Amino acid sequence: MSPDPLIIDGQALSSRFFLGSAGYPSPQVLQDAIRASGTQVLTVGLKRTLQAGDNGFVAQALATAQAQGARLLPNTAGCRSARDAITLAQMARELYGTRWIKLEVIGDDHTLQPDPFELLAAASTLVKEGFTVFPYCTEDLILCRRLLEDAGCPLLMPWGAPIGSGQGLQNLAGLRRLRERLPDVPLVIDAGLGAPSQAAQALELGFDAVLLNSAVSQARDPVAMAAAFRDAVQAGRQAYRAGLMAPQDFAVASTPVSGHAFVLG
């Protein structure tokens, strides 16, 4: 176990890299990417799985993930109402035998931004039904507090940018504020990351983990990209714990010389 585990729902996770399972060119590439990532949380879209009839594909991926101590995190991707998301979450619990659910309730087809009202309603109901809800949300502080305090979610998953956009962390000020105001809450950047450097930046800001899919599955070499993100997440977390130097508006000599005597030869 890592000396710096992430604790969620009483589970200690040594990896802070959560991986999606959609869009890979083959089941074998997905399995190899899971191994390379070192992930301990693998997400799967239940609606996509049921529509495509690829339960065998998911079973293979899950077996690979479980071999390295990973947990399955079904999601409610594609839902646009609290009612649909609740129904899908209940189906996921029956199908996969887990109370963990990544809750997505989309409110806008263009940005895939979550609907805050339907999200809060669904989260409140699912927590009461015994689910551990991982809500996909924005960095809005009021919504985040409602999800924590009113609904009872144990963590938050704010977006970095719209799903699949690869734009990175678009609202740095808002994300920093969220981290500062909720210092003891596990925060996972979910969606919008396109490069390992962006994942490292998220961890350097103090976020606890990242979740991504397209940046790995759509890469020219998904397995190599999974390894690159793994290393970036580890580096970002190490940098945060070590203590990043504060930016300055002026030059600061790395080797101060004033006030010191010199011996000239």
PDB file of all heavy atoms in Angstrom, residues 31-66:
ATOM      1  N   GLN A  31      -7.329  -3.705 -21.651  1.00  0.00           N
ATOM      2  CA  GLN A  31      -6.717  -4.454 -20.556  1.00  0.00           C
ATOM      3  C   GLN A  31      -5.263  -4.039 -20.336  1.00  0.00           C
ATOM      4  O   GLN A  31      -4.819  -3.872 -19.194  1.00  0.00           O
ATOM      5  CB  GLN A  31      -6.801  -5.955 -20.854  1.00  0.00           C
ATOM      6  CG  GLN A  31      -8.226  -6.506 -20.810  1.00  0.00           C
ATOM      7  CD  GLN A  31      -8.296  -7.973 -21.189  1.00  0.00           C
ATOM      8  OE1 GLN A  31      -7.826  -8.834 -20.443  1.00  0.00           O
ATOM      9  NE2 GLN A  31      -8.847  -8.264 -22.347  1.00  0.00           N
ATOM     10  N   ASP A  32      -4.527  -3.854 -21.425  1.00  0.00           N
ATOM     11  CA  ASP A  32      -3.130  -3.435 -21.297  1.00  0.00           C
ATOM     12  C   ASP A  32      -3.029  -2.024 -20.713  1.00  0.00           C
ATOM     13  O   ASP A  32      -2.123  -1.731 -19.931  1.00  0.00           O
ATOM     14  CB  ASP A  32      -2.444  -3.488 -22.664  1.00  0.00           C
ATOM     15  CG  ASP A  32      -2.263  -4.914 -23.177  1.00  0.00           C
ATOM     16  OD1 ASP A  32      -2.379  -5.860 -22.359  1.00  0.00           O
ATOM     17  OD2 ASP A  32      -2.020  -5.085 -24.386  1.00  0.00           O
ATOM     18  N   ALA A  33      -3.970  -1.158 -21.104  1.00  0.00           N
ATOM     19  CA  ALA A  33      -3.971   0.216 -20.579  1.00  0.00           C
ATOM     20  C   ALA A  33      -4.293   0.220 -19.083  1.00  0.00           C
ATOM     21  O   ALA A  33      -3.714   0.998 -18.314  1.00  0.00           O
ATOM     22  CB  ALA A  33      -4.975   1.074 -21.339  1.00  0.00           C
ATOM     23  N   ILE A  34      -5.207  -0.636 -18.664  1.00  0.00           N
ATOM     24  CA  ILE A  34      -5.529  -0.743 -17.234  1.00  0.00           C
ATOM     25  C   ILE A  34      -4.286  -1.141 -16.448  1.00  0.00           C
ATOM     26  O   ILE A  34      -3.960  -0.534 -15.420  1.00  0.00           O
ATOM     27  CB  ILE A  34      -6.666  -1.764 -17.014  1.00  0.00           C
ATOM     28  CG1 ILE A  34      -7.988  -1.236 -17.587  1.00  0.00           C
ATOM     29  CG2 ILE A  34      -6.827  -2.075 -15.521  1.00  0.00           C
ATOM     30  CD1 ILE A  34      -9.088  -2.280 -17.630  1.00  0.00           C
ATOM     31  N   ARG A  35      -3.573  -2.121 -16.948  1.00  0.00           N
ATOM     32  CA  ARG A  35      -2.339  -2.559 -16.265  1.00  0.00           C
ATOM     33  C   ARG A  35      -1.318  -1.434 -16.229  1.00  0.00           C
ATOM     34  O   ARG A  35      -0.691  -1.173 -15.189  1.00  0.00           O
ATOM     35  CB  ARG A  35      -1.761  -3.778 -16.972  1.00  0.00           C
ATOM     36  CG  ARG A  35      -2.616  -5.035 -16.909  1.00  0.00           C
ATOM     37  CD  ARG A  35      -1.880  -6.245 -17.452  1.00  0.00           C
ATOM     38  NE  ARG A  35      -2.743  -7.412 -17.523  1.00  0.00           N
ATOM     39  CZ  ARG A  35      -3.390  -7.792 -18.624  1.00  0.00           C
ATOM     40  NH1 ARG A  35      -3.258  -7.093 -19.745  1.00  0.00           N
ATOM     41  NH2 ARG A  35      -4.162  -8.862 -18.613  1.00  0.00           N
ATOM     42  N   ALA A  36      -1.137  -0.738 -17.344  1.00  0.00           N
ATOM     43  CA  ALA A  36      -0.130   0.324 -17.417  1.00  0.00           C
ATOM     44  C   ALA A  36      -0.489   1.502 -16.530  1.00  0.00           C
ATOM     45  O   ALA A  36       0.396   2.174 -15.992  1.00  0.00           O
ATOM     46  CB  ALA A  36       0.031   0.789 -18.862  1.00  0.00           C
ATOM     47  N   SER A  37      -1.773   1.755 -16.374  1.00  0.00           N
ATOM     48  CA  SER A  37      -2.212   2.912 -15.583  1.00  0.00           C
ATOM     49  C   SER A  37      -2.025   2.710 -14.085  1.00  0.00           C
ATOM     50  O   SER A  37      -1.884   3.672 -13.335  1.00  0.00           O
ATOM     51  CB  SER A  37      -3.688   3.204 -15.855  1.00  0.00           C
ATOM     52  OG  SER A  37      -4.522   2.206 -15.263  1.00  0.00           O
ATOM     53  N   GLY A  38      -2.064   1.456 -13.650  1.00  0.00           N
ATOM     54  CA  GLY A  38      -2.032   1.180 -12.216  1.00  0.00           C
ATOM     55  C   GLY A  38      -3.292   1.615 -11.506  1.00  0.00           C
ATOM     56  O   GLY A  38      -3.325   1.703 -10.273  1.00  0.00           O
ATOM     57  N   THR A  39      -4.362   1.885 -12.250  1.00  0.00           N
ATOM     58  CA  THR A  39      -5.581   2.412 -11.660  1.00  0.00           C
ATOM     59  C   THR A  39      -6.188   1.461 -10.640  1.00  0.00           C
ATOM     60  O   THR A  39      -6.043   0.235 -10.742  1.00  0.00           O
ATOM     61  CB  THR A  39      -6.622   2.720 -12.747  1.00  0.00           C
ATOM     62  OG1 THR A  39      -7.738   3.400 -12.160  1.00  0.00           O
ATOM     63  CG2 THR A  39      -7.139   1.442 -13.414  1.00  0.00           C
ATOM     64  N   GLN A  40      -6.881   2.027  -9.675  1.00  0.00           N
ATOM     65  CA  GLN A  40      -7.644   1.232  -8.732  1.00  0.00           C
ATOM     66  C   GLN A  40      -9.122   1.611  -8.737  1.00  0.00           C
ATOM     67  O   GLN A  40      -9.887   1.159  -7.890  1.00  0.00           O
ATOM     68  CB  GLN A  40      -7.062   1.380  -7.329  1.00  0.00           C
ATOM     69  CG  GLN A  40      -5.711   0.668  -7.183  1.00  0.00           C
ATOM     70  CD  GLN A  40      -5.288   0.561  -5.749  1.00  0.00           C
ATOM     71  OE1 GLN A  40      -5.023   1.558  -5.091  1.00  0.00           O
ATOM     72  NE2 GLN A  40      -5.219  -0.663  -5.245  1.00  0.00           N
ATOM     73  N   VAL A  41      -9.503   2.452  -9.703  1.00  0.00           N
ATOM     74  CA  VAL A  41     -10.910   2.776  -9.913  1.00  0.00           C
ATOM     75  C   VAL A  41     -11.146   2.800 -11.424  1.00  0.00           C
ATOM     76  O   VAL A  41     -10.577   3.626 -12.135  1.00  0.00           O
ATOM     77  CB  VAL A  41     -11.301   4.133  -9.294  1.00  0.00           C
ATOM     78  CG1 VAL A  41     -12.755   4.469  -9.634  1.00  0.00           C
ATOM     79  CG2 VAL A  41     -11.109   4.121  -7.787  1.00  0.00           C
ATOM     80  N   LEU A  42     -11.973   1.889 -11.883  1.00  0.00           N
ATOM     81  CA  LEU A  42     -12.289   1.791 -13.311  1.00  0.00           C
ATOM     82  C   LEU A  42     -13.760   2.114 -13.511  1.00  0.00           C
ATOM     83  O   LEU A  42     -14.631   1.474 -12.915  1.00  0.00           O
ATOM     84  CB  LEU A  42     -12.001   0.384 -13.827  1.00  0.00           C
ATOM     85  CG  LEU A  42     -12.267   0.143 -15.317  1.00  0.00           C
ATOM     86  CD1 LEU A  42     -11.221   0.850 -16.164  1.00  0.00           C
ATOM     87  CD2 LEU A  42     -12.294  -1.358 -15.634  1.00  0.00           C
ATOM     88  N   THR A  43     -14.048   3.107 -14.355  1.00  0.00           N
ATOM     89  CA  THR A  43     -15.444   3.485 -14.586  1.00  0.00           C
ATOM     90  C   THR A  43     -15.999   2.767 -15.814  1.00  0.00           C
ATOM     91  O   THR A  43     -15.264   2.448 -16.755  1.00  0.00           O
ATOM     92  CB  THR A  43     -15.596   5.005 -14.795  1.00  0.00           C
ATOM     93  OG1 THR A  43     -14.990   5.390 -16.027  1.00  0.00           O
ATOM     94  CG2 THR A  43     -14.964   5.767 -13.646  1.00  0.00           C
ATOM     95  N   VAL A  44     -17.302   2.542 -15.783  1.00  0.00           N
ATOM     96  CA  VAL A  44     -17.984   1.918 -16.912  1.00  0.00           C
ATOM     97  C   VAL A  44     -19.364   2.538 -17.045  1.00  0.00           C
ATOM     98  O   VAL A  44     -20.064   2.731 -16.044  1.00  0.00           O
ATOM     99  CB  VAL A  44     -18.075   0.381 -16.737  1.00  0.00           C
ATOM    100  CG1 VAL A  44     -18.804   0.012 -15.454  1.00  0.00           C
ATOM    101  CG2 VAL A  44     -18.760  -0.262 -17.938  1.00  0.00           C
ATOM    102  N   GLY A  45     -19.746   2.877 -18.269  1.00  0.00           N
ATOM    103  CA  GLY A  45     -21.051   3.448 -18.534  1.00  0.00           C
ATOM    104  C   GLY A  45     -22.085   2.349 -18.703  1.00  0.00           C
ATOM    105  O   GLY A  45     -22.045   1.614 -19.696  1.00  0.00           O
ATOM    106  N   LEU A  46     -22.986   2.229 -17.758  1.00  0.00           N
ATOM    107  CA  LEU A  46     -23.950   1.135 -17.796  1.00  0.00           C
ATOM    108  C   LEU A  46     -24.880   1.257 -18.997  1.00  0.00           C
ATOM    109  O   LEU A  46     -25.166   0.260 -19.671  1.00  0.00           O
ATOM    110  CB  LEU A  46     -24.760   1.114 -16.501  1.00  0.00           C
ATOM    111  CG  LEU A  46     -25.797  -0.010 -16.390  1.00  0.00           C
ATOM    112  CD1 LEU A  46     -25.128  -1.370 -16.498  1.00  0.00           C
ATOM    113  CD2 LEU A  46     -26.569   0.102 -15.087  1.00  0.00           C
ATOM    114  N   LYS A  47     -25.356   2.460 -19.298  1.00  0.00           N
ATOM    115  CA  LYS A  47     -26.276   2.623 -20.420  1.00  0.00           C
ATOM    116  C   LYS A  47     -25.614   2.203 -21.723  1.00  0.00           C
ATOM    117  O   LYS A  47     -26.198   1.497 -22.550  1.00  0.00           O
ATOM    118  CB  LYS A  47     -26.755   4.074 -20.505  1.00  0.00           C
ATOM    119  CG  LYS A  47     -27.743   4.323 -21.629  1.00  0.00           C
ATOM    120  CD  LYS A  47     -28.326   5.733 -21.570  1.00  0.00           C
ATOM    121  CE  LYS A  47     -29.334   5.875 -20.446  1.00  0.00           C
ATOM    122  NZ  LYS A  47     -30.096   7.146 -20.536  1.00  0.00           N
ATOM    123  N   ARG A  48     -24.350   2.608 -21.919  1.00  0.00           N
ATOM    124  CA  ARG A  48     -23.618   2.223 -23.126  1.00  0.00           C
ATOM    125  C   ARG A  48     -23.427   0.712 -23.177  1.00  0.00           C
ATOM    126  O   ARG A  48     -23.574   0.080 -24.217  1.00  0.00           O
ATOM    127  CB  ARG A  48     -22.245   2.931 -23.157  1.00  0.00           C
ATOM    128  CG  ARG A  48     -21.316   2.444 -24.258  1.00  0.00           C
ATOM    129  CD  ARG A  48     -19.965   3.137 -24.178  1.00  0.00           C
ATOM    130  NE  ARG A  48     -19.333   2.962 -22.878  1.00  0.00           N
ATOM    131  CZ  ARG A  48     -18.640   1.885 -22.529  1.00  0.00           C
ATOM    132  NH1 ARG A  48     -18.521   0.872 -23.369  1.00  0.00           N
ATOM    133  NH2 ARG A  48     -18.084   1.806 -21.339  1.00  0.00           N
ATOM    134  N   THR A  49     -23.117   0.121 -22.026  1.00  0.00           N
ATOM    135  CA  THR A  49     -22.883  -1.316 -21.962  1.00  0.00           C
ATOM    136  C   THR A  49     -24.133  -2.095 -22.332  1.00  0.00           C
ATOM    137  O   THR A  49     -24.086  -3.048 -23.112  1.00  0.00           O
ATOM    138  CB  THR A  49     -22.436  -1.722 -20.544  1.00  0.00           C
ATOM    139  OG1 THR A  49     -21.226  -1.035 -20.231  1.00  0.00           O
ATOM    140  CG2 THR A  49     -22.203  -3.211 -20.450  1.00  0.00           C
ATOM    141  N   LEU A  50     -25.272  -1.682 -21.796  1.00  0.00           N
ATOM    142  CA  LEU A  50     -26.521  -2.381 -22.072  1.00  0.00           C
ATOM    143  C   LEU A  50     -26.954  -2.217 -23.524  1.00  0.00           C
ATOM    144  O   LEU A  50     -27.411  -3.165 -24.163  1.00  0.00           O
ATOM    145  CB  LEU A  50     -27.614  -1.872 -21.134  1.00  0.00           C
ATOM    146  CG  LEU A  50     -27.414  -2.172 -19.641  1.00  0.00           C
ATOM    147  CD1 LEU A  50     -28.503  -1.509 -18.818  1.00  0.00           C
ATOM    148  CD2 LEU A  50     -27.374  -3.670 -19.390  1.00  0.00           C
ATOM    149  N   GLN A  51     -26.777  -1.006 -24.067  1.00  0.00           N
ATOM    150  CA  GLN A  51     -27.186  -0.757 -25.450  1.00  0.00           C
ATOM    151  C   GLN A  51     -26.304  -1.505 -26.440  1.00  0.00           C
ATOM    152  O   GLN A  51     -26.762  -2.012 -27.454  1.00  0.00           O
ATOM    153  CB  GLN A  51     -27.154   0.745 -25.734  1.00  0.00           C
ATOM    154  CG  GLN A  51     -28.240   1.524 -25.010  1.00  0.00           C
ATOM    155  CD  GLN A  51     -28.115   3.027 -25.209  1.00  0.00           C
ATOM    156  OE1 GLN A  51     -27.075   3.533 -25.629  1.00  0.00           O
ATOM    157  NE2 GLN A  51     -29.176   3.744 -24.882  1.00  0.00           N
ATOM    158  N   ALA A  52     -24.994  -1.572 -26.119  1.00  0.00           N
ATOM    159  CA  ALA A  52     -24.064  -2.217 -27.044  1.00  0.00           C
ATOM    160  C   ALA A  52     -24.005  -3.729 -26.851  1.00  0.00           C
ATOM    161  O   ALA A  52     -23.485  -4.449 -27.700  1.00  0.00           O
ATOM    162  CB  ALA A  52     -22.663  -1.622 -26.861  1.00  0.00           C
ATOM    163  N   GLY A  53     -24.527  -4.190 -25.728  1.00  0.00           N
ATOM    164  CA  GLY A  53     -24.484  -5.611 -25.460  1.00  0.00           C
ATOM    165  C   GLY A  53     -23.078  -6.140 -25.254  1.00  0.00           C
ATOM    166  O   GLY A  53     -22.779  -7.283 -25.618  1.00  0.00           O
ATOM    167  N   ASP A  54     -22.190  -5.302 -24.688  1.00  0.00           N
ATOM    168  CA  ASP A  54     -20.786  -5.708 -24.541  1.00  0.00           C
ATOM    169  C   ASP A  54     -20.436  -6.028 -23.091  1.00  0.00           C
ATOM    170  O   ASP A  54     -19.390  -5.635 -22.593  1.00  0.00           O
ATOM    171  CB  ASP A  54     -19.852  -4.640 -25.090  1.00  0.00           C
ATOM    172  CG  ASP A  54     -19.993  -3.288 -24.400  1.00  0.00           C
ATOM    173  OD1 ASP A  54     -20.901  -3.160 -23.566  1.00  0.00           O
ATOM    174  OD2 ASP A  54     -19.186  -2.394 -24.691  1.00  0.00           O
ATOM    175  N   ASN A  55     -21.300  -6.777 -22.417  1.00  0.00           N
ATOM    176  CA  ASN A  55     -21.007  -7.157 -21.039  1.00  0.00           C
ATOM    177  C   ASN A  55     -19.751  -8.011 -20.943  1.00  0.00           C
ATOM    178  O   ASN A  55     -19.041  -7.990 -19.940  1.00  0.00           O
ATOM    179  CB  ASN A  55     -22.188  -7.911 -20.425  1.00  0.00           C
ATOM    180  CG  ASN A  55     -23.272  -6.960 -19.917  1.00  0.00           C
ATOM    181  OD1 ASN A  55     -22.972  -5.917 -19.381  1.00  0.00           O
ATOM    182  ND2 ASN A  55     -24.519  -7.333 -20.130  1.00  0.00           N
ATOM    183  N   GLY A  56     -19.476  -8.819 -21.997  1.00  0.00           N
ATOM    184  CA  GLY A  56     -18.260  -9.611 -22.008  1.00  0.00           C
ATOM    185  C   GLY A  56     -17.028  -8.734 -22.022  1.00  0.00           C
ATOM    186  O   GLY A  56     -16.033  -9.017 -21.347  1.00  0.00           O
ATOM    187  N   PHE A  57     -17.101  -7.659 -22.792  1.00  0.00           N
ATOM    188  CA  PHE A  57     -16.010  -6.675 -22.861  1.00  0.00           C
ATOM    189  C   PHE A  57     -15.759  -6.093 -21.478  1.00  0.00           C
ATOM    190  O   PHE A  57     -14.612  -6.010 -21.012  1.00  0.00           O
ATOM    191  CB  PHE A  57     -16.418  -5.582 -23.849  1.00  0.00           C
ATOM    192  CG  PHE A  57     -15.390  -4.523 -24.099  1.00  0.00           C
ATOM    193  CD1 PHE A  57     -14.580  -4.574 -25.221  1.00  0.00           C
ATOM    194  CD2 PHE A  57     -15.243  -3.443 -23.239  1.00  0.00           C
ATOM    195  CE1 PHE A  57     -13.637  -3.592 -25.464  1.00  0.00           C
ATOM    196  CE2 PHE A  57     -14.311  -2.465 -23.481  1.00  0.00           C
ATOM    197  CZ  PHE A  57     -13.504  -2.534 -24.595  1.00  0.00           C
ATOM    198  N   VAL A  58     -16.811  -5.703 -20.788  1.00  0.00           N
ATOM    199  CA  VAL A  58     -16.689  -5.127 -19.460  1.00  0.00           C
ATOM    200  C   VAL A  58     -16.161  -6.158 -18.470  1.00  0.00           C
ATOM    201  O   VAL A  58     -15.323  -5.854 -17.618  1.00  0.00           O
ATOM    202  CB  VAL A  58     -18.044  -4.580 -18.987  1.00  0.00           C
ATOM    203  CG1 VAL A  58     -17.961  -4.115 -17.543  1.00  0.00           C
ATOM    204  CG2 VAL A  58     -18.490  -3.430 -19.884  1.00  0.00           C
ATOM    205  N   ALA A  59     -16.628  -7.408 -18.596  1.00  0.00           N
ATOM    206  CA  ALA A  59     -16.180  -8.455 -17.685  1.00  0.00           C
ATOM    207  C   ALA A  59     -14.677  -8.672 -17.792  1.00  0.00           C
ATOM    208  O   ALA A  59     -13.981  -8.846 -16.780  1.00  0.00           O
ATOM    209  CB  ALA A  59     -16.931  -9.748 -17.969  1.00  0.00           C
ATOM    210  N   GLN A  60     -14.159  -8.649 -19.022  1.00  0.00           N
ATOM    211  CA  GLN A  60     -12.717  -8.805 -19.214  1.00  0.00           C
ATOM    212  C   GLN A  60     -11.950  -7.641 -18.580  1.00  0.00           C
ATOM    213  O   GLN A  60     -10.925  -7.843 -17.920  1.00  0.00           O
ATOM    214  CB  GLN A  60     -12.395  -8.873 -20.706  1.00  0.00           C
ATOM    215  CG  GLN A  60     -12.925 -10.104 -21.413  1.00  0.00           C
ATOM    216  CD  GLN A  60     -12.648 -10.051 -22.907  1.00  0.00           C
ATOM    217  OE1 GLN A  60     -11.541  -9.762 -23.347  1.00  0.00           O
ATOM    218  NE2 GLN A  60     -13.666 -10.328 -23.702  1.00  0.00           N
ATOM    219  N   ALA A  61     -12.454  -6.431 -18.804  1.00  0.00           N
ATOM    220  CA  ALA A  61     -11.791  -5.252 -18.244  1.00  0.00           C
ATOM    221  C   ALA A  61     -11.828  -5.283 -16.726  1.00  0.00           C
ATOM    222  O   ALA A  61     -10.832  -4.981 -16.061  1.00  0.00           O
ATOM    223  CB  ALA A  61     -12.465  -3.982 -18.759  1.00  0.00           C
ATOM    224  N   LEU A  62     -12.979  -5.680 -16.170  1.00  0.00           N
ATOM    225  CA  LEU A  62     -13.111  -5.721 -14.723  1.00  0.00           C
ATOM    226  C   LEU A  62     -12.186  -6.763 -14.113  1.00  0.00           C
ATOM    227  O   LEU A  62     -11.575  -6.527 -13.068  1.00  0.00           O
ATOM    228  CB  LEU A  62     -14.557  -6.010 -14.334  1.00  0.00           C
ATOM    229  CG  LEU A  62     -14.842  -6.089 -12.828  1.00  0.00           C
ATOM    230  CD1 LEU A  62     -14.422  -4.806 -12.128  1.00  0.00           C
ATOM    231  CD2 LEU A  62     -16.317  -6.372 -12.588  1.00  0.00           C
ATOM    232  N   ALA A  63     -12.046  -7.915 -14.764  1.00  0.00           N
ATOM    233  CA  ALA A  63     -11.156  -8.950 -14.252  1.00  0.00           C
ATOM    234  C   ALA A  63      -9.719  -8.448 -14.205  1.00  0.00           C
ATOM    235  O   ALA A  63      -8.989  -8.701 -13.241  1.00  0.00           O
ATOM    236  CB  ALA A  63     -11.256 -10.203 -15.122  1.00  0.00           C
ATOM    237  N   THR A  64      -9.323  -7.710 -15.250  1.00  0.00           N
ATOM    238  CA  THR A  64      -7.976  -7.141 -15.280  1.00  0.00           C
ATOM    239  C   THR A  64      -7.808  -6.118 -14.166  1.00  0.00           C
ATOM    240  O   THR A  64      -6.784  -6.089 -13.469  1.00  0.00           O
ATOM    241  CB  THR A  64      -7.709  -6.473 -16.640  1.00  0.00           C
ATOM    242  OG1 THR A  64      -7.850  -7.442 -17.677  1.00  0.00           O
ATOM    243  CG2 THR A  64      -6.309  -5.877 -16.693  1.00  0.00           C
ATOM    244  N   ALA A  65      -8.814  -5.262 -14.001  1.00  0.00           N
ATOM    245  CA  ALA A  65      -8.747  -4.235 -12.963  1.00  0.00           C
ATOM    246  C   ALA A  65      -8.701  -4.853 -11.571  1.00  0.00           C
ATOM    247  O   ALA A  65      -7.907  -4.445 -10.715  1.00  0.00           O
ATOM    248  CB  ALA A  65      -9.942  -3.296 -13.092  1.00  0.00           C
ATOM    249  N   GLN A  66      -9.529  -5.840 -11.334  1.00  0.00           N
ATOM    250  CA  GLN A  66      -9.581  -6.459 -10.012  1.00  0.00           C
ATOM    251  C   GLN A  66      -8.277  -7.164  -9.667  1.00  0.00           C
ATOM    252  O   GLN A  66      -7.897  -7.256  -8.494  1.00  0.00           O
ATOM    253  CB  GLN A  66     -10.756  -7.430  -9.943  1.00  0.00           C
ATOM    254  CG  GLN A  66     -12.110  -6.741  -9.895  1.00  0.00           C
ATOM    255  CD  GLN A  66     -13.275  -7.695  -9.884  1.00  0.00           C
ATOM    256  OE1 GLN A  66     -13.214  -8.774 -10.475  1.00  0.00           O
ATOM    257  NE2 GLN A  66     -14.354  -7.304  -9.214  1.00  0.00           N
TER     258      GLN A  66
END
